[in-house]
């Protein structure tokens, strides 16, 4: 089979390797399509602090069941559509013992600290497998992982019904958070960015309000969107200090800000305002399996990912996909790699 490998930043090559049979507790997946995300791009540039090289990339994907290990209980049908969680957790640390596997002290993520799905056949433990509807497109299947990130972030915020929500950052994750929040009953959602293309994609995705925060302030945009009611929940998905600072300043007293973005350098936050306004700052990190199952349900009719797919590349042209992303910046949302 063909298997990709990134030997060093910016250097992907392809090997011809034998197909490994699944272990007794594993399922073998024939990988069909892989999505590229922001973290993958950091690895391509050598800017991902926790990824050693060489690495087999790929953690957002759809495939079909090719073989099943002898000890798998409830074996999936050969040919069934599937995807799989990339987390490898220890099961024994304090967070794991509390069921919070996503923040395992010894977490490894396939595609970063362990081998990912950038190959024609990929073996995963059966308990990581997530079945997908037969009618799912390859794009829908490859979107389960990022939608699960959005589902987990929304779950961390509690009940969303009727609430006014701000999402800062209209990249793929911000867009999906806005869509998941709506699907979970949020009253009105305002999304902000500095890239007109991303705001346009958000509008096409059905987000209620989209504001360019180069032209207006968050506070003014929120007044325009929500009137005097304001907002008491924000998701910071831009990973930018100015964005976080604007949320802290504009959110209703007692409001909650979920931190979803990744910050290149530690942001400065006005903790006096956080303290006096009883603002809750809460983190959100990847997802649980339950989030994946809900992501599948939402992708089955409640969330539209079609406006987010920018372009497809052949497996052999994975490097070109990165070059395309590099040269098109904020004009790009999700780029897909077609494996087979
Ligand atoms: Zn990702
Ligand atoms: Zn653990």
């Amino acid at each position: 089979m063909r298997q990709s490998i990134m030997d060093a930043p910016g250097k992907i090559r392809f090997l011809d390797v034998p197909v490994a049979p699944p272990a007794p507790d594993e399922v073998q997946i024939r990988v069909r399509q892989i999505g590229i995300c922001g973290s993958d791009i950091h690895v391509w540039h050598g800017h991902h602090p926790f990824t050693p090289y060489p690495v087999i990339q790929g953690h957002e994907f759809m495939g079909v069941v090719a073989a099943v290990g002898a000890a798998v209980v409830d074996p999936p049908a050969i040919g069934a559509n599937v995807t799989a969680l990339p987390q490898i957790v220890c099961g024994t640390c304090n967070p794991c013992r509390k069921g919070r596997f996503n923040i395992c002290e010894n977490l490894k993520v396939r595609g970063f600290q362990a081998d990912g799905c950038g190959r024609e056949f990929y073996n995963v433990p059966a308990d990581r497998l997530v079945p997908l509807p037969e009618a799912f497109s390859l794009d829908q299947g490859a979107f389960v992982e990022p939608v699960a990130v959005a589902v987990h972030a929304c779950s961390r915020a509690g009940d969303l019904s009727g609430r006014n929500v701000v999402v800062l950052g209209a990249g793929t994750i911000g867009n999906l958070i806005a869509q998941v929040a709506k699907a979970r009953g949020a009253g009105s959602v305002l999304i902000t960015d500095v890239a007109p293309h991303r705001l346009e994609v958000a509008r096409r995705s059905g987000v209620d309000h989209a504001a360019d925060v180069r032209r207006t302030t968050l506070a003014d945009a929120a007044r325009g969107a929500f009137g005097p009611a304001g907002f008491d929940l924000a998701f910071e998905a831009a990973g930018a200090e100015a964005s976080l600072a604007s949320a802290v300043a504009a959110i209703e007293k007692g409001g909650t800000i979920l931190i979803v973005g990744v910050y290149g350098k530690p942001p400065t936050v006005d903790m006096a305002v956080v303290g006096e306004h009883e603002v809750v700052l809460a983190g959100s990190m990847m997802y649980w399996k339950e989030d994946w199952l809900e992501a599948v349900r939402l992708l089955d009719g409640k969330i539209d990912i079609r406006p987010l797919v920018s372009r497809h590349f052949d497996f052999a042209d994975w490097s070109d996909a990165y070059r395309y992303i590099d040269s098109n910046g904020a004009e790009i949302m999700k780029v897909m790699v077609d494996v087979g």
Side-chain angles (χ1 to χ4, degrees):
M1 67 166 176
R2 279 187 307 162
Q3 181 212 286
S4 70
I5 187 150
M6 187 182 285
D7 293 309
K11 297 222 174 332
I12 297 175
R13 75 195 157 90
F14 292 87
L15 311 173
D16 198 10
V17 301
V19 176
D25 66 338
E26 285 182 335
V27 172
Q28 182 182 72
I29 301 171
R30 189 165 78 81
V31 178
R32 300 206 53 204
Q33 186 175 305
I34 300 173
I36 297 177
C37 86
S39 303
D40 296 322
I41 298 165
H42 288 311
V43 174
W44 165 259
H45 288 295
H47 296 158
H48 196 280
F50 309 114
T51 298
Y53 301 83
V55 57
I56 302 174
Q57 287 201 293
H59 62 283
E60 319 180 347
F61 76 102
M62 172 159 162
V64 295
V65 174
V68 181
V72 173
V73 186
D74 267 339
I78 303 297
N81 289 336
V82 290
T83 182
L85 281 80
Q87 296 143 312
I88 301 171
V89 302
C90 76
T92 58
C93 69
N94 285 339
C96 276
R97 282 205 301 253
K98 292 171 182 163
R100 300 179 69 175
F101 300 103
N102 58 320
I103 48 172
C104 168
E105 298 282 3
N106 304 299
L107 178 67
K108 286 194 170 73
V109 181
R110 301 186 74 173
F112 299 90
Q113 302 86 27
D115 292 346
C117 63
R119 55 178 100 193
E120 288 175 293
F121 291 91
Y122 182 48
N123 295 340
V124 304
D127 67 356
R128 305 277 82 189
L129 201 71
V130 173
L132 300 175
E134 278 315 295
F136 258 30
S137 67
L138 294 175
D139 285 347
Q140 281 174 299
F143 255 97
V144 174
E145 196 266 2
V147 172
V149 171
V151 168
H152 189 75
C154 285
S155 298
R156 298 272 296 144
D159 185 6
L160 300 188
S161 17
R163 292 170 78 177
N164 291 335
V165 176
V166 167
V167 181
L168 301 112
T172 298
I173 295 295
N175 179 299
L176 294 174
I177 289 171
Q179 292 200 54
V180 171
K182 281 302 281 185
R184 283 197 168 184
S188 184
V189 179
L190 163 67
I191 196 164
T192 67
D193 206 287
V194 294
H197 175 72
R198 290 178 175 174
L199 294 167
E200 178 51 34
V201 172
R203 287 185 197 101
R204 276 193 275 135
S205 306
V207 181
D208 301 305
H209 306 277
D212 185 338
V213 283
R214 284 175 316 177
R215 294 167 189 278
T216 180
T217 64
L218 173 61
D220 282 345
R223 252 188 303 279
F226 310 130
F231 64 100
D232 70 353
L233 176 60
F235 295 86
E236 207 299 290
E241 179 177 291
S243 169
L244 178 58
S246 72
V248 168
I251 198 165
E252 182 184 312
K253 287 187 176 184
T256 298
I257 302 173
L258 259 296
I259 309 298
V260 189
V262 178
Y263 299 87
K265 68 175 179 58
T268 298
V269 177
D270 190 340
M271 294 308 282
V273 173
V274 171
E276 286 164 18
H277 291 190
E278 291 200 344
V279 171
V280 178
L281 298 176
S284 186
M285 168 65 179
M286 301 187 83
Y287 31 62
W288 300 336
K289 189 164 187 184
E290 294 88 321
D291 301 316
W292 281 58
L293 301 178
E294 184 175 346
V296 173
R297 288 192 293 272
L298 291 174
L299 278 160
D300 201 3
K302 288 235 162 91
I303 281 186
D304 186 6
I305 48 90
R306 286 169 300 182
L308 282 83
V309 181
S310 298
R311 201 169 148 183
H312 284 244
F313 284 82
D314 284 341
F315 191 33
D317 300 328
W318 201 336
S319 303
D320 292 339
Y322 281 122
R323 289 186 198 108
Y324 170 72
I325 291 166
D326 283 348
S327 54
N328 289 280
E331 297 298 303
I332 302 296
M333 296 291 283
K334 180 64 72 184
V335 173
M336 297 289 186
V337 176
D338 303 330
V339 179

